[in-house]
């Protein structure tokens, strides 16, 4: 495994370990629409950045396209399998 991949996956692991506390924080902010919306956007940006980095790396490995907008709109392969299609 490349050092770059280890770094990428370590970042994902770090985010994963914090997602529970972030969720609790969001629950405490929920009554305040402005702060809640800002926190949701921050989380969405962080998750999107990790997802974009993963997609770019996948594209480097297999030469696939890295159209991040299409990636966001594409159905999840996991959801597809859960619905019995795969």
């Amino acid at each position: 495994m490349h050092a770059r991949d280890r770094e990428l996956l370590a970042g994902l692991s770090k985010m994963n370990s914090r997602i529970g506390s972030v969720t609790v924080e969001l629950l405490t902010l929920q009554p305040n629409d402005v702060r809640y919306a800002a926190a949701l956007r921050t989380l969405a940006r962080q998750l999107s950045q990790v997802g974009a980095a993963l997609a770019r790396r996948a594209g480097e490995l297999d030469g696939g396209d890295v159209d991040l907008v299409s990636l966001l709109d594409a159905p999840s392969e996991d959801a597809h399998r859960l619905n019995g299609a795969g």
Side-chain angles (χ1 to χ4, degrees):
M1 180 182 292
H2 295 275
R4 181 171 172 205
D5 294 323
R6 280 191 293 275
E7 183 179 317
L8 184 61
L9 295 175
L12 178 61
S13 177
K14 182 178 178 181
M15 176 175 281
N16 186 50
S17 69
R18 294 183 51 229
I19 201 75
S21 62
V22 168
T23 302
V24 170
E25 182 180 343
L26 286 169
L27 289 170
T28 65
L29 291 175
Q30 202 167 19
N32 182 324
D33 287 346
V34 172
R35 290 180 64 205
Y36 182 61
L40 286 175
R41 282 189 189 92
T42 297
L43 179 59
R45 183 175 51 254
Q46 292 169 345
L47 292 170
S48 296
Q49 288 169 346
V50 168
L54 293 168
R56 279 192 298 271
R57 182 61 180 140
E60 290 171 5
L61 292 169
D62 67 7
D65 290 336
V66 185
D67 180 355
L68 298 177
V69 173
S70 295
L71 181 68
L72 292 173
D73 291 335
S76 167
E77 290 180 18
D78 290 336
H80 193 65
R81 277 196 304 269
L82 290 174
N83 289 328

Coordinates of all heavy atoms in Angstrom, one line a residue:
M1 N 0.9 -1.2 0.0 CA 0.0 0.0 0.0 C 0.9 1.2 0.0 O 1.9 1.3 0.7 CB -0.9 0.0 1.2 CG -1.8 1.2 1.3 SD -2.9 1.3 2.7 CE -4.0 -0.1 2.5
H2 N 0.5 2.2 -0.8 CA 1.3 3.4 -0.9 C 1.1 4.3 0.4 O 0.1 4.2 1.0 CB 0.8 4.3 -2.1 CG 1.1 3.6 -3.4 ND1 2.3 3.7 -4.1 CD2 0.3 2.8 -4.2 CE1 2.2 3.0 -5.2 NE2 1.0 2.5 -5.3
A3 N 2.1 5.0 0.7 CA 2.0 5.9 1.8 C 0.9 6.9 1.7 O 0.2 7.2 2.7 CB 3.3 6.7 2.0
R4 N 0.6 7.3 0.5 CA -0.5 8.2 0.2 C -1.8 7.6 0.6 O -2.7 8.2 1.1 CB -0.5 8.6 -1.3 CG -1.5 9.6 -1.6 CD -1.3 10.1 -3.0 NE -2.5 10.9 -3.4 CZ -2.8 11.1 -4.7 NH1 -2.1 10.5 -5.6 NH2 -3.9 11.8 -5.0
D5 N -2.0 6.3 0.2 CA -3.2 5.6 0.6 C -3.4 5.4 2.1 O -4.5 5.6 2.6 CB -3.2 4.2 -0.1 CG -3.3 4.3 -1.6 OD1 -4.0 5.2 -2.1 OD2 -2.6 3.5 -2.3
R6 N -2.3 5.1 2.7 CA -2.3 5.0 4.2 C -2.8 6.3 4.8 O -3.6 6.4 5.7 CB -1.0 4.6 4.8 CG -0.7 3.1 4.6 CD 0.5 2.7 5.4 NE 1.8 3.2 4.9 CZ 2.5 2.7 3.9 NH1 2.1 1.6 3.4 NH2 3.6 3.3 3.5
E7 N -2.2 7.4 4.3 CA -2.6 8.8 4.8 C -4.1 9.0 4.6 O -4.8 9.5 5.4 CB -1.7 9.8 4.2 CG -2.0 11.2 4.7 CD -1.1 12.2 4.0 OE1 0.1 11.9 3.8 OE2 -1.6 13.3 3.6
L8 N -4.5 8.7 3.4 CA -5.9 8.9 3.0 C -6.9 8.1 3.9 O -7.8 8.6 4.5 CB -6.1 8.5 1.5 CG -7.5 8.7 0.9 CD1 -7.9 10.2 0.9 CD2 -7.5 8.2 -0.5
L9 N -6.5 6.8 4.1 CA -7.4 6.0 5.0 C -7.2 6.4 6.4 O -8.2 6.2 7.2 CB -7.0 4.5 4.7 CG -7.3 4.0 3.3 CD1 -6.8 2.6 3.2 CD2 -8.8 4.1 3.0
A10 N -6.1 6.9 6.9 CA -6.0 7.3 8.2 C -6.9 8.5 8.5 O -7.5 8.7 9.5 CB -4.5 7.7 8.6
G11 N -7.0 9.4 7.5 CA -7.9 10.6 7.6 C -9.3 10.1 7.7 O -10.1 10.7 8.5
L12 N -9.7 9.1 6.9 CA -11.0 8.6 6.9 C -11.3 8.0 8.3 O -12.4 8.2 8.9 CB -11.2 7.6 5.8 CG -12.5 6.9 5.7 CD1 -13.7 7.9 5.5 CD2 -12.5 5.8 4.6
S13 N -10.3 7.2 8.8 CA -10.5 6.6 10.1 C -10.7 7.7 11.2 O -11.5 7.5 12.1 CB -9.3 5.7 10.4 OG -9.4 5.2 11.7
K14 N -9.9 8.7 11.1 CA -10.0 9.8 12.1 C -11.4 10.4 12.1 O -12.0 10.7 13.1 CB -8.9 10.9 11.9 CG -8.9 12.0 12.9 CD -7.8 13.0 12.6 CE -7.8 14.1 13.5 NZ -6.8 15.1 13.2
M15 N -11.9 10.7 10.9 CA -13.2 11.2 10.7 C -14.3 10.3 11.3 O -15.2 10.7 12.0 CB -13.5 11.6 9.3 CG -14.9 12.1 9.0 SD -15.2 12.6 7.4 CE -14.4 14.2 7.4
N16 N -14.1 9.0 11.0 CA -15.1 8.0 11.4 C -15.1 8.0 13.0 O -16.2 7.8 13.6 CB -14.7 6.6 10.9 CG -15.7 5.6 11.2 OD1 -16.9 5.8 11.1 ND2 -15.2 4.5 11.8
S17 N -14.0 8.1 13.6 CA -13.9 8.1 15.1 C -14.6 9.3 15.7 O -15.0 9.2 16.9 CB -12.5 7.9 15.6 OG -11.7 9.1 15.3
R18 N -14.7 10.4 14.9 CA -15.3 11.6 15.5 C -16.8 11.8 15.1 O -17.5 12.6 15.6 CB -14.5 12.8 14.9 CG -13.1 12.9 15.4 CD -12.4 14.1 15.0 NE -13.1 15.3 15.2 CZ -13.3 16.3 14.3 NH1 -12.9 16.2 13.1 NH2 -14.0 17.3 14.6
I19 N -17.3 10.9 14.2 CA -18.7 11.1 13.7 C -19.7 11.1 14.8 O -20.7 11.8 14.8 CB -19.0 10.2 12.5 CG1 -20.1 10.7 11.7 CG2 -19.3 8.8 13.0 CD1 -19.8 11.9 10.8
G20 N -19.5 10.2 15.8 CA -20.5 10.1 16.9 C -20.6 11.4 17.7 O -21.7 11.9 18.0
S21 N -19.4 12.0 18.1 CA -19.5 13.3 18.8 C -20.0 14.4 18.0 O -20.7 15.3 18.5 CB -18.1 13.6 19.4 OG -17.1 13.8 18.4
V22 N -19.7 14.4 16.7 CA -20.2 15.4 15.8 C -21.8 15.3 15.7 O -22.5 16.3 15.8 CB -19.6 15.3 14.4 CG1 -20.4 16.1 13.4 CG2 -18.2 15.6 14.4
T23 N -22.3 14.1 15.7 CA -23.7 13.9 15.7 C -24.4 14.4 16.9 O -25.4 15.1 16.9 CB -24.0 12.4 15.5 OG1 -23.4 11.9 14.3 CG2 -25.5 12.1 15.4
V24 N -23.8 14.1 18.1 CA -24.3 14.6 19.3 C -24.3 16.1 19.4 O -25.3 16.8 19.8 CB -23.5 14.0 20.5 CG1 -23.9 14.7 21.8 CG2 -23.8 12.5 20.6
E25 N -23.2 16.7 18.9 CA -23.1 18.2 18.8 C -24.2 18.8 17.9 O -24.9 19.8 18.2 CB -21.8 18.6 18.3 CG -21.6 20.1 18.2 CD -20.2 20.5 17.7 OE1 -19.3 19.7 17.7 OE2 -20.1 21.7 17.3
L26 N -24.5 18.1 16.8 CA -25.6 18.5 15.9 C -26.9 18.5 16.6 O -27.8 19.4 16.4 CB -25.6 17.7 14.6 CG -24.5 18.0 13.6 CD1 -24.5 16.9 12.5 CD2 -24.7 19.4 13.0
L27 N -27.1 17.5 17.4 CA -28.4 17.3 18.1 C -28.6 18.5 19.1 O -29.7 19.0 19.3 CB -28.5 16.0 18.8 CG -28.7 14.8 17.9 CD1 -28.5 13.5 18.7 CD2 -30.0 14.8 17.3
T28 N -27.5 19.0 19.7 CA -27.6 20.1 20.7 C -27.8 21.4 19.9 O -28.4 22.3 20.5 CB -26.3 20.2 21.6 OG1 -25.2 20.5 20.8 CG2 -26.1 18.9 22.3
L29 N -27.4 21.5 18.7 CA -27.6 22.7 17.9 C -28.9 22.8 17.2 O -29.3 23.9 16.8 CB -26.4 22.9 16.9 CG -25.0 23.1 17.4 CD1 -24.1 23.1 16.2 CD2 -25.0 24.4 18.2
Q30 N -29.6 21.7 17.2 CA -30.8 21.6 16.3 C -31.8 22.7 16.6 O -32.5 23.2 15.7 CB -31.4 20.2 16.4 CG -32.3 19.9 15.3 CD -32.7 18.4 15.3 OE1 -32.6 17.8 16.3 NE2 -33.1 18.0 14.1
P31 N -32.1 23.1 17.9 CA -33.1 24.2 18.1 C -32.7 25.5 17.5 O -33.6 26.4 17.3 CB -33.1 24.3 19.6 CG -32.7 23.0 20.1 CD -31.6 22.5 19.1
N32 N -31.4 25.8 17.2 CA -31.0 27.0 16.6 C -30.7 26.8 15.1 O -29.7 26.3 14.7 CB -29.7 27.5 17.3 CG -29.2 28.8 16.8 OD1 -29.3 29.1 15.6 ND2 -28.7 29.6 17.7
D33 N -31.7 27.2 14.3 CA -31.6 26.9 12.8 C -30.4 27.4 12.2 O -29.8 26.7 11.3 CB -32.9 27.4 12.1 CG -34.1 26.6 12.4 OD1 -34.0 25.5 12.9 OD2 -35.2 27.1 12.1
V34 N -29.9 28.6 12.5 CA -28.8 29.2 11.9 C -27.5 28.4 12.2 O -26.7 28.1 11.3 CB -28.7 30.7 12.2 CG1 -27.3 31.3 11.7 CG2 -29.8 31.5 11.7
R35 N -27.3 28.2 13.5 CA -26.1 27.4 13.9 C -26.1 26.0 13.4 O -25.1 25.4 13.0 CB -25.9 27.5 15.4 CG -25.6 28.9 15.9 CD -25.4 29.0 17.4 NE -24.3 28.1 17.8 CZ -24.2 27.6 19.0 NH1 -25.1 27.8 20.0 NH2 -23.1 26.9 19.4
Y36 N -27.3 25.4 13.5 CA -27.5 24.0 13.0 C -27.2 23.9 11.5 O -26.4 23.0 11.1 CB -28.9 23.5 13.3 CG -29.2 22.1 12.9 CD1 -28.5 21.1 13.5 CD2 -30.2 21.8 12.0 CE1 -28.8 19.7 13.2 CE2 -30.5 20.5 11.7 CZ -29.8 19.5 12.3 OH -30.1 18.2 11.9
A37 N -27.7 24.8 10.7 CA -27.4 24.8 9.3 C -25.9 25.0 9.0 O -25.4 24.3 8.1 CB -28.2 25.9 8.6
A38 N -25.3 25.9 9.7 CA -23.8 26.1 9.5 C -23.1 24.8 9.9 O -22.1 24.4 9.2 CB -23.4 27.3 10.4
A39 N -23.4 24.2 11.0 CA -22.8 22.9 11.4 C -23.0 21.8 10.4 O -22.1 21.0 10.1 CB -23.2 22.5 12.8
L40 N -24.2 21.7 9.8 CA -24.5 20.7 8.8 C -23.6 21.0 7.5 O -23.1 20.1 6.9 CB -26.0 20.8 8.4 CG -27.0 20.1 9.4 CD1 -28.4 20.4 8.9 CD2 -26.7 18.7 9.6
R41 N -23.5 22.2 7.2 CA -22.7 22.6 6.0 C -21.2 22.2 6.2 O -20.5 21.7 5.3 CB -22.8 24.1 5.6 CG -24.1 24.4 4.9 CD -24.1 25.8 4.4 NE -25.4 26.1 3.9 CZ -26.4 26.7 4.6 NH1 -26.2 27.0 5.9 NH2 -27.6 26.9 4.0
T42 N -20.7 22.5 7.4 CA -19.3 22.2 7.8 C -19.1 20.7 7.7 O -18.2 20.2 7.1 CB -19.0 22.6 9.2 OG1 -19.1 24.1 9.2 CG2 -17.6 22.2 9.6
L43 N -20.0 19.9 8.2 CA -19.9 18.4 8.2 C -20.0 17.9 6.7 O -19.2 17.1 6.3 CB -21.0 17.8 9.0 CG -21.0 16.2 9.0 CD1 -19.7 15.7 9.5 CD2 -22.2 15.7 9.8
A44 N -20.9 18.5 6.0 CA -21.1 18.1 4.6 C -19.8 18.4 3.8 O -19.4 17.6 3.0 CB -22.3 18.9 3.9
R45 N -19.2 19.6 4.0 CA -18.0 19.9 3.4 C -16.9 18.9 3.7 O -16.1 18.4 2.8 CB -17.5 21.4 3.7 CG -16.3 21.8 3.0 CD -16.0 23.3 3.3 NE -15.9 23.6 4.7 CZ -16.9 24.3 5.3 NH1 -17.9 24.8 4.7 NH2 -16.8 24.6 6.6
Q46 N -16.7 18.6 5.0 CA -15.7 17.7 5.4 C -15.9 16.3 4.8 O -14.9 15.7 4.3 CB -15.6 17.6 6.9 CG -15.1 18.9 7.6 CD -15.4 18.9 9.1 OE1 -16.1 18.1 9.6 NE2 -14.7 19.9 9.7
L47 N -17.1 15.8 4.8 CA -17.4 14.5 4.2 C -17.2 14.5 2.7 O -16.7 13.5 2.2 CB -18.8 14.1 4.6 CG -19.1 13.7 6.0 CD1 -20.6 13.6 6.3 CD2 -18.4 12.5 6.5
S48 N -17.6 15.6 2.1 CA -17.4 15.7 0.6 C -15.9 15.7 0.3 O -15.5 15.1 -0.7 CB -18.1 17.0 0.1 OG -19.5 16.9 0.3
Q49 N -15.1 16.4 1.1 CA -13.7 16.5 0.8 C -13.0 15.1 0.9 O -12.2 14.7 0.1 CB -13.0 17.5 1.7 CG -13.4 18.9 1.4 CD -12.9 19.9 2.4 OE1 -12.6 19.6 3.5 NE2 -12.9 21.2 2.0
V50 N -13.4 14.4 1.9 CA -12.9 13.0 2.0 C -13.4 12.1 0.9 O -12.6 11.4 0.3 CB -13.3 12.4 3.4 CG1 -13.0 10.9 3.4 CG2 -12.6 13.0 4.5
G51 N -14.7 12.2 0.5 CA -15.2 11.5 -0.6 C -14.5 11.9 -1.9 O -14.2 11.0 -2.7
A52 N -14.2 13.1 -2.1 CA -13.5 13.6 -3.3 C -12.1 13.0 -3.4 O -11.7 12.6 -4.4 CB -13.5 15.1 -3.4
A53 N -11.4 13.0 -2.3 CA -10.1 12.5 -2.2 C -10.1 11.0 -2.5 O -9.2 10.5 -3.3 CB -9.4 12.7 -0.9
L54 N -11.1 10.3 -2.0 CA -11.2 8.8 -2.3 C -11.5 8.6 -3.8 O -10.9 7.7 -4.4 CB -12.3 8.2 -1.4 CG -12.0 8.1 0.1 CD1 -13.3 7.8 0.8 CD2 -10.9 7.1 0.4
A55 N -12.4 9.4 -4.3 CA -12.7 9.2 -5.8 C -11.5 9.6 -6.7 O -11.3 8.9 -7.6 CB -13.9 10.1 -6.1
R56 N -10.8 10.6 -6.3 CA -9.6 11.0 -7.1 C -8.6 9.8 -7.1 O -8.0 9.5 -8.1 CB -9.0 12.3 -6.6 CG -9.7 13.5 -7.1 CD -8.8 14.8 -6.8 NE -8.6 15.0 -5.4 CZ -9.5 15.7 -4.6 NH1 -10.5 16.2 -5.1 NH2 -9.2 15.8 -3.3
R57 N -8.4 9.3 -5.9 CA -7.4 8.2 -5.8 C -7.9 7.0 -6.6 O -7.1 6.3 -7.3 CB -7.2 7.8 -4.4 CG -6.2 6.7 -4.2 CD -4.8 7.1 -4.7 NE -3.8 6.0 -4.5 CZ -2.9 5.7 -5.3 NH1 -2.8 6.3 -6.5 NH2 -2.1 4.7 -5.1
A58 N -9.2 6.6 -6.5 CA -9.7 5.5 -7.3 C -9.5 5.8 -8.8 O -9.1 4.9 -9.5 CB -11.2 5.3 -7.0
G59 N -9.7 7.0 -9.2 CA -9.4 7.4 -10.6 C -8.0 7.2 -11.1 O -7.7 6.8 -12.2
E60 N -7.1 7.5 -10.1 CA -5.7 7.4 -10.4 C -5.3 5.9 -10.6 O -4.5 5.5 -11.4 CB -4.8 7.9 -9.3 CG -4.9 9.4 -9.2 CD -4.2 10.0 -7.9 OE1 -3.6 9.2 -7.2 OE2 -4.2 11.2 -7.7
L61 N -6.0 5.1 -9.8 CA -5.6 3.6 -9.8 C -6.2 2.9 -11.1 O -5.5 2.1 -11.6 CB -6.2 2.9 -8.6 CG -5.5 3.4 -7.3 CD1 -6.2 2.8 -6.1 CD2 -4.0 2.9 -7.3
D62 N -7.4 3.3 -11.5 CA -8.0 2.5 -12.6 C -8.3 3.4 -13.8 O -8.9 2.9 -14.8 CB -9.3 1.8 -12.1 CG -10.4 2.8 -11.7 OD1 -10.3 4.0 -11.9 OD2 -11.5 2.3 -11.2
G63 N -7.9 4.6 -13.8 CA -8.1 5.5 -14.9 C -9.5 5.9 -15.1 O -9.8 6.5 -16.2
G64 N -10.3 5.7 -14.1 CA -11.7 6.1 -14.3 C -11.9 7.6 -14.1 O -11.1 8.3 -13.7
D65 N -13.1 8.0 -14.6 CA -13.4 9.4 -14.5 C -13.6 9.8 -13.1 O -14.1 9.1 -12.3 CB -14.7 9.7 -15.3 CG -14.5 9.6 -16.8 OD1 -13.4 9.7 -17.3 OD2 -15.5 9.3 -17.5
V66 N -13.3 11.1 -12.8 CA -13.6 11.7 -11.5 C -14.5 12.9 -11.7 O -14.1 14.0 -11.5 CB -12.2 12.1 -10.8 CG1 -12.5 12.6 -9.4 CG2 -11.3 10.9 -10.8
D67 N -15.7 12.6 -12.0 CA -16.7 13.7 -12.1 C -17.5 13.7 -10.8 O -18.4 12.9 -10.5 CB -17.7 13.4 -13.2 CG -18.8 14.4 -13.4 OD1 -18.8 15.4 -12.5 OD2 -19.5 14.3 -14.3
L68 N -17.1 14.6 -9.9 CA -17.6 14.6 -8.5 C -19.1 14.9 -8.4 O -19.8 14.4 -7.6 CB -16.7 15.6 -7.7 CG -15.3 15.2 -7.5 CD1 -14.5 16.3 -6.7 CD2 -15.1 13.8 -6.9
V69 N -19.5 15.7 -9.3 CA -21.0 16.1 -9.3 C -21.8 14.8 -9.7 O -22.8 14.5 -9.0 CB -21.3 17.2 -10.3 CG1 -22.8 17.4 -10.5 CG2 -20.6 18.5 -9.9
S70 N -21.3 14.1 -10.7 CA -22.0 12.8 -11.0 C -21.9 11.8 -9.9 O -22.8 11.0 -9.6 CB -21.4 12.2 -12.3 OG -21.7 13.0 -13.4
L71 N -20.8 11.8 -9.2 CA -20.6 10.9 -8.1 C -21.6 11.2 -7.0 O -22.2 10.2 -6.4 CB -19.2 11.0 -7.5 CG -18.8 10.1 -6.4 CD1 -18.7 8.7 -6.8 CD2 -17.5 10.6 -5.8
L72 N -21.9 12.4 -6.7 CA -22.8 12.8 -5.7 C -24.3 12.4 -6.1 O -25.1 12.0 -5.2 CB -22.8 14.3 -5.4 CG -21.5 14.8 -4.7 CD1 -21.5 16.3 -4.6 CD2 -21.3 14.2 -3.3
D73 N -24.5 12.4 -7.4 CA -25.9 12.1 -7.8 C -26.1 10.7 -8.1 O -27.2 10.2 -8.3 CB -26.2 12.9 -9.1 CG -26.3 14.4 -8.8 OD1 -26.6 14.8 -7.6 OD2 -26.1 15.2 -9.7
A74 N -25.0 9.9 -8.2 CA -25.1 8.5 -8.5 C -25.8 7.7 -7.4 O -25.5 8.0 -6.2 CB -23.8 7.9 -8.9
P75 N -26.6 6.7 -7.7 CA -27.1 5.8 -6.6 C -26.0 5.0 -6.0 O -25.0 4.7 -6.6 CB -28.1 4.9 -7.4 CG -27.7 5.0 -8.8 CD -27.0 6.3 -9.0
S76 N -26.2 4.8 -4.7 CA -25.2 4.0 -4.0 C -25.2 2.6 -4.4 O -26.2 2.0 -4.5 CB -25.5 4.1 -2.5 OG -24.7 3.2 -1.7
E77 N -24.0 2.0 -4.6 CA -23.9 0.6 -5.0 C -24.4 -0.3 -3.8 O -25.1 -1.3 -4.0 CB -22.5 0.2 -5.3 CG -22.0 0.8 -6.6 CD -20.6 0.4 -7.0 OE1 -20.1 -0.6 -6.4 OE2 -20.0 1.1 -7.8
D78 N -24.2 0.2 -2.6 CA -24.7 -0.6 -1.4 C -26.2 -0.6 -1.4 O -26.8 -1.6 -1.2 CB -24.2 0.0 -0.1 CG -22.7 -0.2 0.1 OD1 -22.2 -1.2 -0.5 OD2 -22.1 0.5 0.8
A79 N -26.8 0.5 -1.7 CA -28.3 0.6 -1.7 C -28.8 -0.2 -2.8 O -29.8 -0.9 -2.7 CB -28.8 2.1 -1.9
H80 N -28.1 -0.2 -3.9 CA -28.5 -1.1 -5.1 C -28.5 -2.6 -4.7 O -29.4 -3.3 -5.0 CB -27.5 -0.8 -6.3 CG -28.0 -1.3 -7.6 ND1 -29.1 -0.8 -8.2 CD2 -27.4 -2.2 -8.4 CE1 -29.2 -1.5 -9.4 NE2 -28.3 -2.3 -9.5
R81 N -27.4 -3.0 -4.0 CA -27.4 -4.4 -3.6 C -28.4 -4.7 -2.6 O -29.0 -5.8 -2.6 CB -26.0 -4.7 -3.0 CG -24.9 -5.0 -4.0 CD -23.7 -5.6 -3.4 NE -23.1 -4.8 -2.3 CZ -22.2 -3.9 -2.5 NH1 -21.7 -3.7 -3.7 NH2 -21.7 -3.2 -1.5
L82 N -28.7 -3.8 -1.7 CA -29.7 -4.1 -0.6 C -31.1 -4.2 -1.2 O -32.0 -4.9 -0.7 CB -29.7 -2.9 0.4 CG -28.5 -2.9 1.3 CD1 -28.6 -1.6 2.2 CD2 -28.4 -4.1 2.2
N83 N -31.3 -3.6 -2.4 CA -32.6 -3.7 -3.1 C -32.7 -5.0 -3.9 O -33.7 -5.1 -4.7 CB -32.9 -2.5 -3.9 CG -33.2 -1.3 -3.1 OD1 -33.7 -1.4 -2.0 ND2 -32.8 -0.1 -3.5
G84 N -31.7 -5.8 -3.8 CA -31.8 -7.1 -4.5 C -31.3 -7.1 -6.0 O -31.5 -8.0 -6.7
A85 N -30.7 -6.0 -6.4 CA -30.3 -5.9 -7.8 C -28.9 -6.3 -8.0 O -28.4 -6.3 -9.1 CB -30.5 -4.4 -8.3
G86 N -28.1 -6.7 -7.0 CA -26.8 -7.0 -7.3 C -26.2 -8.1 -6.5 O -26.3 -9.0 -6.0

